[in-house]
Amino acid sequence: MPSASAPRLKIGLIGAGAIMRLSHAPTIRRNPNTELTAVFDVNFENARAIADEFGGTPYDDLEAMLGKSGVDAVIVATPNRFHEAGVVAAAAHGKHVFCEKPLSIDVAGSRRMVEACEKAGVVLQVGFNQRFWSQVQIAKELIDTGFIGKVHQIRSNYSEKSTAYPASTRYRYDLAQSGGATIIDLTIHRIDLARHLVGDYSAVFAELAHSEMTEKVDDNVWLLTRFGNGARGCLSGNRYSPNIGDGTDIYGTEGTIHIASETINPFNAVPLAVYTEKGVADLPDVLREAHYPDAWWETFKGGWISVKPPRRSPYDAQLEAFRTSIAEHRPALVTGLDGLRAQEVIQAAYLSLDKGGWVDVPLPADAPFKIPTYA
């Protein structure tokens, strides 16, 4: 049932591609407190197809849609280089904005988007959905409360062959439209996740290569990272692995956390695993309740604990967080600044590849931006 305290949030879509059809439109329909009222796409037939299936009025004129009184907020999921235009236009009309990652293709554009939403006084949330997996939220709490001690290292991989995702176009591999292939579509999720779990970055060293795909793009990505608190990281991804490669490990002085957010497999057998030498009395409830001893009279004496939280859609959780931020007049849980910080790491990676060394972040306002070319 819709919330008794507030009317449904009326949402318009900017873009009518695969992510809207597979995720955002059905998520809006599932949420009793949101309603899809409008769909814009430069291809009117694409907009009409989404509207026919999920509701709302189709448009091929963005200003006409944004001028409609029945739109409170928008979701922006166009090819990346058009994100800025959609977000800035929506903010100018006083619409709250959920923007799919990446925020923009460069840092300068991301800054303009953040400033436009701040000036308009509207919520800006960025689509880093992996923060909303239950296993990530549990890991975040364990880290923040010091359960695994001081974190010194994180490593994370996210790989997927280019034909796995049922996209309607291959714009992701047209670097002029996307701003990057693997790094900006897959690795960016782990760039944000590592910052969310460990802290702000201080420097980046990158190795980006074209190894396999027909398109000359970054299909093989490795990032070494330094964090402001002294921790180190290794983030990787590719676009040729036939399986979906997934796994994040966080190493602290008093324990280790393993997260599998996308899939499980023989090497990532559970969504969340925690290693600790602490006794049962020092376990938080979520770990104490997950542990099964060898016999009922035994207690936990240290080792691995596997946690299998209920599998709930992170898209549902992020939409509800967006709606709640608007209803309660508070900042988004994943802000425009979060999107900007992730974009800084990507731009720093491009600069690192160009100069062959470490690049400090945050980047200065006049930091150059140039998409690499690949042999």
Side-chain angles (χ1 to χ4, degrees):
M1 295 291 291
S3 170
S5 60
R8 284 183 173 182
L9 181 69
K10 297 179 174 61
I11 299 176
L13 304 183
I14 299 180
I19 191 66
M20 293 299 201
R21 177 174 50 83
L22 294 172
S23 179
H24 293 299
T27 300
I28 293 168
R29 184 165 60 184
R30 284 194 299 269
N31 189 311
N33 297 310
T34 61
E35 178 183 0
L36 181 58
T37 58
V39 183
F40 161 79
D41 196 272
V42 292
N43 183 320
F44 184 77
E45 292 306 314
N46 289 347
R48 183 162 64 182
I50 295 284
D52 286 348
E53 184 173 358
F54 297 99
T57 303
Y59 291 86
D60 58 6
D61 183 324
L62 181 57
E63 285 296 314
M65 188 191 86
L66 293 173
K68 182 183 176 183
S69 60
V71 174
D72 305 315
V74 299
I75 295 176
V76 178
T78 57
N80 301 341
R81 76 183 182 96
F82 301 115
H83 283 187
E84 181 181 354
V87 169
V88 171
H93 281 268
K95 311 301 182 184
H96 301 286
V97 182
F98 177 100
C99 183
E100 261 297 350
K101 57 79 190 164
L103 195 53
S104 182
I105 65 170
D106 63 7
V107 170
S110 297
R111 286 199 184 103
R112 290 190 293 267
M113 296 162 76
V114 172
E115 290 167 359
C117 291
E118 289 178 345
K119 181 179 178 180
V122 298
V123 171
L124 173 59
Q125 181 168 321
V126 183
F128 288 126
N129 65 80
Q130 295 193 357
R131 290 194 186 199
F132 292 90
W133 284 109
S134 296
Q135 54 268 45
V136 170
Q137 294 172 332
I138 294 168
K140 171 71 170 169
E141 184 174 357
L142 292 174
I143 292 167
D144 288 353
T145 57
F147 183 77
I148 65 167
K150 183 174 176 56
V151 172
H152 287 293
Q153 188 180 97
I154 182 170
R155 64 178 182 180
S156 187
N157 176 63
Y158 189 11
S159 300
E160 178 185 285
K161 66 179 179 180
S162 63
T163 56
Y165 180 68
S168 55
T169 72
R170 289 182 70 83
Y171 89 83
R172 289 168 175 80
Y173 314 117
D174 176 353
L175 299 185
Q177 290 201 69
S178 66
T182 305
I183 190 172
I184 212 166
D185 198 46
L186 295 181
T187 315
I188 192 172
H189 275 299
R190 302 312 169 83
I191 291 169
D192 176 72
L193 183 64
R195 177 174 172 266
H196 179 56
L197 295 175
V198 179
D200 278 319
Y201 294 95
S202 63
V204 180
F205 182 91
E207 174 67 13
L208 311 178
H210 168 254
S211 297
E212 186 65 29
M213 290 178 59
T214 301
E215 295 92 343
K216 297 297 193 291
V217 298
D218 53 300
D219 64 0
N220 198 347
V221 172
W222 290 88
L223 304 180
L224 296 180
T225 64
R226 296 172 182 159
F227 296 85
N229 58 15
R232 300 294 194 269
C234 177
L235 312 177
S236 61
N238 71 64
R239 274 294 190 183
Y240 52 79
S241 292
N243 70 305
I244 296 178
D246 175 43
T248 299
D249 298 307
I250 305 103
Y251 297 91
T253 55
E254 297 178 32
T256 300
I257 295 175
H258 169 78
I259 304 168
S261 57
E262 300 299 306
T263 62
I264 59 174
N265 58 53
F267 303 100
N268 307 312
V270 291
L272 180 67
V274 180
Y275 183 88
T276 179
E277 295 178 344
K278 296 177 181 179
V280 66
D282 296 317
L283 298 181
D285 289 344
V286 69
L287 297 184
R288 186 182 304 110
E289 293 169 358
H291 174 253
Y292 280 76
D294 293 334
W296 66 264
W297 58 87
E298 297 286 350
T299 60
F300 180 75
K301 299 181 177 65
W304 284 101
I305 300 176
S306 296
V307 184
K308 295 184 178 181
R311 189 177 187 278
R312 300 189 177 101
S313 168
Y315 285 95
D316 288 336
Q318 72 176 359
L319 177 64
E320 181 58 19
F322 179 55
R323 186 200 67 80
T324 301
S325 294
I326 294 168
E328 298 181 357
H329 307 286
R330 57 177 177 76
L333 288 182
V334 187
T335 66
L337 180 61
D338 292 320
L340 172 60
R341 292 291 178 249
Q343 199 61 45
E344 283 183 321
V345 172
I346 291 170
Q347 191 160 326
Y350 292 167
L351 293 172
S352 170
L353 186 65
D354 185 57
K355 69 180 284 189
W358 287 88
V359 173
D360 292 339
V361 290
L363 294 174
D366 61 351
F369 171 73
K370 180 182 178 182
I371 301 171
T373 56
Y374 302 93

